[in-house]
Amino acid sequence: AAVGELVDVPPLVTDREETVRYFSEHVYGRRPDLSGFRRTARVVESVDVPALDAIRKTIELNTMTPKGEVKFQAFAFFPRKAKKAPTFVYMAFRDPRLSIDRTKKDLNPRWPVEAILARGYATVAFWYEEVAKDKSDYFKGMERPRDGWGTNSTWALASSRVMDWLETEPMCDTEKVCVIGLSRLGKTAIWAGVTDPRFAMTVSNESGCGGARLQHIRLPKAETIEAITRVFPHWFAPAYRAESAGDPLKLPYDHHSLLAAVAPRLLIIGSAEGDEWAGPPGERAAL
């Protein structure tokens, strides 16, 4: 088959519940029953930022991880003039604490606070590694079940914990909240958007293998399931490597069904055409 040619793509799974179940058990991992988990969230700081005509808030939250309960902080900017602002929940590679002082020169360019505020929107960011370390040995010493949840699902749950807090925040338009992530956090954003229908929009950039990309497409320079689960085994359930690291053309599913599970809410897939490792033709085909 020619490079970029779709090969024997499985039909779209139109049963949303079945799609979520499958990807829980076979890709991202099944979360435990969290019905008894006591959620907490409190604003520990709220300051006026005249230069941005905004209010900045620091929130301390708790969440559950495969290693137990942890606490993490999120940092929010709300435009002062907006009664209820649409809000972007950003999962950050870089600790937002380094960028909450907007007078600094070395700001995170992926968190454009000023541009967001200027359009009347709000934004909340948290550092993903404060929730679960992005290390291949994260689960060292732990015996994981075949469908045990990985760090991608853990980070997605943390974004839902931020959403829990936003529902109590008067400055947020809770009907218009977007979750956004890049690369491994782009995969996480998709899973957050699938598992938490409170997110009105999901934005996934460069999520590639294990994210937005179809596996049933021939892209010899793109990342494979074998490679991603060997280098980053902590991101996924053990079943993903055990079942899917062989011939991807034999997989009984593909990620167009995962993307469809976000519907009828909004979905944006970002894909740089020069990033062959992510496989942009496969991301475009899935979308």
Side-chain angles (χ1 to χ4, degrees):
V3 173
E5 180 180 342
L6 294 170
V7 183
D8 300 326
V9 181
L12 185 71
V13 180
T14 56
D15 185 321
R16 187 181 185 281
E17 185 176 339
E18 169 61 18
T19 299
V20 176
R21 183 200 64 78
Y22 185 91
F23 279 85
S24 290
E25 294 180 0
H26 301 275
V27 182
Y28 297 106
R30 186 198 298 270
R31 292 173 186 162
D33 180 10
L34 300 174
S35 58
F37 177 62
R38 183 175 178 272
R39 296 165 171 81
T40 63
R42 65 188 184 98
V43 176
V44 296
E45 184 183 49
S46 180
V47 297
D48 187 36
V49 187
L52 299 179
D53 199 17
I55 304 296
R56 190 189 77 222
K57 298 188 178 187
T58 302
I59 310 95
E60 185 176 87
L61 308 100
N62 71 339
T63 190
M64 186 57 73
T65 77
K67 292 187 173 182
E69 180 182 340
V70 300
K71 289 185 178 181
F72 70 103
Q73 287 191 328
F75 304 88
F77 285 87
F78 291 96
R80 189 193 295 115
K81 294 179 181 179
K83 292 183 178 180
K84 285 185 176 292
T87 303
F88 290 91
V89 176
Y90 169 54
M91 295 175 286
F93 279 107
R94 180 178 173 180
D95 190 342
R97 292 174 182 83
L98 302 175
S99 296
I100 58 173
D101 181 354
R102 304 304 294 182
T103 64
K104 291 182 177 180
K105 294 182 179 180
D106 185 25
L107 297 175
N108 182 357
R110 293 173 179 163
W111 192 30
V113 173
E114 288 79 2
I116 293 170
L117 292 171
R119 288 161 174 78
Y121 302 133
T123 180
V124 188
F126 70 91
W127 186 31
Y128 81 127
E129 283 211 286
E130 194 173 8
V131 174
K133 291 295 183 183
D134 190 10
K135 303 291 185 183
S136 61
D137 62 353
Y138 175 77
F139 289 103
K140 186 177 181 179
M142 293 179 62
E143 185 174 345
R144 301 180 67 195
R146 191 178 182 89
D147 62 352
W149 56 323
T151 53
N152 272 319
S153 183
T154 305
W155 299 322
L157 178 62
S159 70
S160 290
R161 288 291 298 113
V162 173
M163 185 70 214
D164 289 343
W165 170 72
L166 286 172
E167 289 189 314
T168 72
E169 172 52 58
M171 300 186 77
C172 173
D173 183 347
T174 56
E175 298 298 315
K176 296 179 180 179
V177 178
C178 169
V179 61
I180 182 169
L182 168 74
S183 190
R184 66 206 61 184
L185 298 177
K187 308 180 208 301
T188 301
I190 294 172
W191 193 232
V194 167
T195 56
D196 193 337
R198 296 176 298 176
F199 289 118
M201 180 162 71
T202 298
V203 178
S204 174
N205 286 311
E206 302 298 302
S207 60
C209 183
R213 197 188 88 214
L214 282 178
Q215 298 299 320
H216 290 73
I217 187 169
R218 296 192 185 278
L219 300 169
K221 293 185 179 180
E223 188 174 28
T224 63
I225 298 175
E226 191 286 324
I228 199 171
T229 56
R230 172 169 37 84
V231 180
F232 306 107
H234 56 299
W235 291 354
F236 306 101
Y240 193 40
R241 180 171 181 81
E243 300 170 1
S244 306
D247 184 356
L249 299 185
K250 294 181 179 178
L251 296 176
Y253 68 91
D254 216 326
H255 287 242
H256 57 326
S257 297
L258 180 69
L259 299 186
V262 176
R265 291 164 292 127
L266 301 174
L267 173 68
I268 295 176
I269 300 298
S271 185
E273 64 181 3
D275 186 1
E276 293 183 289
W277 189 243
E283 293 176 313
R284 189 178 307 115
L287 183 60

